[in-house]
Amino acid sequence: DTEVTQTPKHLVMGMTNKKSLKCEQHMGHRAMYWYKQKAKKPPELMFVYSYEKLSINESVPSRFSPECPNSSLLNLHLHALQPEDSALYLCASSHAGTSGDEQFFGPGTRLTVL
Amino acid sequence: DQQVKQNSPSLSVQEGRISILNCDYTNSMFDYFLWYKKYPAEGPTFLISISSIKDKNEDGRFTVFLNKSAKHLSLHIVPSQPGDSAVYFCAATWGGGKLIFGQGTELSVKP
């Protein structure tokens, strides 16, 4: 199984809602990532978990809260988002989180904040 | 400050010919460079990578060339096929798993 799955595929939420994005992989990878991609822009790294510990936080606002319950699962909890947070949110995983590791990406969750 | 740059937003090539996608970078600390392909409504898919200590890596129809002195790399696709039509991202990393992507080049391969 070389797949990273993400749910939901689409999400529409208001600025006062609380929602969560989910990501799962069963490749035995020990590093997992959240990226944000705006239209016509490249993916931008938000968070990295390595061996279930947060290793990189790219100064992301606290309205985004990541969680790694186990080595196969990665969540992104959303609260009080702004319309400018509307984007494609991509999850990825890699073997160990070292340089040159191939990162496997999921299809993304398309988020719209009203 | 864009550390990884792809200056051509689009490229159109005839089927069977060579596609050359270019990428420039500014950070001499990068130790790996990777190319990803992205179709609409899908996540990026890894294509090929190269270590900063090498100058060429080849995998089937895909070859990546690295010129460290010029801080430039290129992806060659030979022969190009219509199924190669996608957005291609150059990415770089150093010291860990943080990938920095270029802006992408949209490749169109015409039959």
Side-chain angles (χ1 to χ4, degrees):
Chain A
D1 184 2
T2 58
E3 195 178 41
V4 175
T5 59
Q6 290 188 243
T7 55
K9 286 191 174 151
H10 301 274
L11 179 62
V12 180
M13 61 186 289
M15 289 190 283
T16 58
N17 291 157
K18 283 186 183 181
K19 297 285 186 184
S20 297
L21 309 184
K22 296 186 184 304
C23 175
E24 191 166 0
Q25 57 87 15
H26 295 288
M27 294 178 276
H29 290 169
R30 302 312 300 267
M32 295 187 77
Y33 311 78
W34 280 115
Y35 288 85
K36 173 181 178 180
Q37 186 177 21
K38 302 279 275 185
K40 304 290 186 187
K41 298 286 187 184
E44 291 183 353
L45 183 68
M46 299 174 73
F47 303 104
V48 181
Y49 272 84
S50 182
Y51 293 83
E52 296 154 58
K53 294 200 185 315
L54 184 65
S55 59
I56 297 178
N57 176 342
E58 290 289 295
S59 303
V60 178
S62 60
R63 58 186 184 270
F64 294 92
S65 174
E67 178 197 18
C68 189
N70 61 56
S71 60
S72 300
L73 292 173
L74 185 66
N75 298 321
L76 186 62
H77 303 298
L78 315 172
H79 174 54
L81 294 194
Q82 304 296 310
E84 59 264 29
D85 296 322
S86 298
L88 180 69
Y89 288 84
L90 292 161
C91 173
S93 70
S94 71
H95 178 64
T98 53
S99 272
D101 258 6
E102 175 187 345
Q103 292 186 22
F104 290 78
F105 284 81
T109 293
R110 175 74 59 189
L111 174 67
T112 302
V113 182
L114 300 176
Chain B
D1 177 32
Q2 276 279 320
Q3 297 188 63
V4 179
K5 298 179 186 179
Q6 293 175 257
N7 292 317
S8 298
S10 63
L11 175 67
S12 183
V13 170
Q14 207 66 30
E15 181 179 5
R17 306 295 290 268
I18 185 171
S19 294
I20 301 177
L21 296 104
N22 294 303
C23 179
D24 297 297
Y25 63 95
T26 57
N27 189 340
S28 57
M29 298 295 290
F30 288 138
D31 56 5
Y32 274 91
F33 302 89
L34 304 91
W35 284 93
Y36 282 81
K37 178 167 80 170
K38 188 177 188 301
Y39 294 117
E42 294 184 13
T45 303
F46 171 78
L47 271 178
I48 191 169
S49 65
I50 188 167
S51 162
S52 62
I53 62 173
K54 304 214 172 199
D55 54 21
K56 179 182 174 181
N57 188 25
E58 191 172 351
D59 183 2
R61 295 187 297 116
F62 303 93
T63 304
V64 57
F65 295 92
L66 175 62
N67 182 334
K68 279 188 72 175
S69 61
K71 292 191 172 71
H72 176 83
L73 63 153
S74 60
L75 174 69
H76 293 209
I77 306 173
V78 183
S80 302
Q81 300 172 355
D84 295 330
S85 298
V87 177
Y88 288 76
F89 288 101
C90 169
T93 184
W94 85 101
K98 178 176 175 177
L99 276 179
I100 297 180
F101 286 87
Q103 302 95 313
T105 296
E106 184 169 9
L107 173 66
S108 175
V109 180
K110 304 202 179 298

